[in-house]
Amino acid sequence: MPPKEQKSKEQKAKAAMHSSKGKKKKWSKGKTKEKVNNMVKFDQPTWDKMLVEVPKMKMITPSILVDRLRVNGSLARATIAHLENEGKIRPICKHSAQLIYTRATNV
């Protein structure tokens, strides 16, 4: 095999600039969570749905109401307080972070 020809410094630098070992890494945008558009006030159909469905649920928490009724968290907590005052649901655990209720049964 014949010896390789020596390249000058300029030729080496030019070859290094034009080498295509791989393309520059592109950063991913990251996973973006889909924005939910929950209601801040009850409209009449949702209010009626809440009065019918929620007292029949086995477990009632603000997060469940947010998920099923598409209302925001503060409205879900106010709804739970309203239903508790009416006696339609009863508390299981009243912790500051998570309120857990169940349907009211005649005991």
Side-chain angles (χ1 to χ4, degrees):
M1 219 163 109
K4 290 187 177 180
E5 292 180 28
Q6 284 284 21
K7 293 182 179 177
S8 68
K9 275 190 173 182
E10 291 125 9
Q11 287 175 330
K12 285 181 184 178
K14 191 175 181 183
M17 293 289 286
H18 292 292
S19 68
S20 58
K21 285 188 177 179
K23 295 193 176 187
K24 188 176 179 182
K25 183 181 186 309
K26 291 188 177 178
W27 290 91
S28 65
K29 299 285 190 270
K31 292 182 180 175
T32 55
K33 190 176 178 187
E34 191 175 309
K35 180 88 172 119
V36 290
N37 195 12
N38 290 342
M39 290 187 288
V40 184
K41 288 183 172 181
F42 274 116
D43 54 359
Q44 195 59 45
T46 311
W47 178 257
D48 297 336
K49 181 180 175 186
M50 181 274 297
L51 288 175
V52 171
E53 288 184 11
V54 175
K56 294 177 184 175
M57 293 180 184
K58 283 189 176 180
M59 188 169 84
I60 303 160
T61 63
S63 51
I64 289 173
L65 295 185
V66 166
D67 187 46
R68 294 209 185 145
L69 298 177
R70 296 281 174 232
V71 294
N72 70 357
S74 58
L75 190 58
R77 288 192 303 272
T79 301
I80 287 176
H82 172 76
L83 291 172
E84 183 187 8
N85 290 340
E86 285 187 356
K88 293 186 176 180
I89 61 175
R90 63 183 173 91
I92 295 173
C93 175
K94 270 191 166 182
H95 189 269
S96 61
Q98 185 71 33
L99 306 169
I100 302 174
Y101 288 79
T102 189
R103 57 188 173 206
T105 54
N106 298 334
V107 178

